[in-house]
Amino acid sequence: QAADSKREQFRQYLEKSGVLDMLTKVLVALYEEPEKPDSALDFLKHHLGASAPENPEVEALRLEVAEMKEKYEAVLEENKKLKTKVKVY
């Protein structure tokens, strides 16, 4: 009975957190695929957002964000200096 109780609590936890709903949707999408993918696991990973972190697009975007942050900091510094100059005049 204790094992059944633990199982039920875990099931309720998964249901409450939306995991069961998400898994159901992804499995239904896989079921409805006209041409089944070679790897069902890769299909699940892709649709659950667990694709490889080495994704080149993601890495390129991270680099772009880092560059933009540097440019932003430089512009802020330049703005500060220009404000100081304007106060002098």
Side-chain angles (χ1 to χ4, degrees), residues 65-78:
V65 166
E67 287 175 20
M68 291 295 136
K69 284 181 180 178
E70 285 180 30
K71 286 180 182 179
Y72 172 74
E73 294 299 324
V75 167
L76 283 180
E77 189 61 35
E78 182 182 11

Side-chain angles (χ1 to χ4, degrees), residues 3-37:
D4 287 343
S5 174
K6 276 185 151 182
R7 238 183 254 136
E8 181 58 25
Q9 286 176 345
F10 186 64
R11 189 198 62 74
Q12 287 175 353
Y13 162 73
L14 292 175
E15 189 174 341
K16 210 179 280 186
S17 62
V19 172
L20 289 180
D21 188 44
M22 180 62 76
L23 285 174
T24 302
K25 286 179 184 179
V26 173
L27 290 172
V28 167
L30 177 59
Y31 175 78
E32 292 176 346
E33 274 293 307
E35 293 183 29
K36 301 298 182 239

Side-chain angles (χ1 to χ4, degrees), residues 41 49 56 66:
L41 185 57

Side-chain angles (χ1 to χ4, degrees), residues 7 10 12 15 19 29 40 46 54 60 63-64 83-84 88:
R7 238 183 254 136
F10 186 64
Q12 287 175 353
E15 189 174 341
V19 172
H46 175 74
E54 299 81 48
L63 289 172
E64 186 176 349
K83 281 182 178 180
T84 303
V88 170

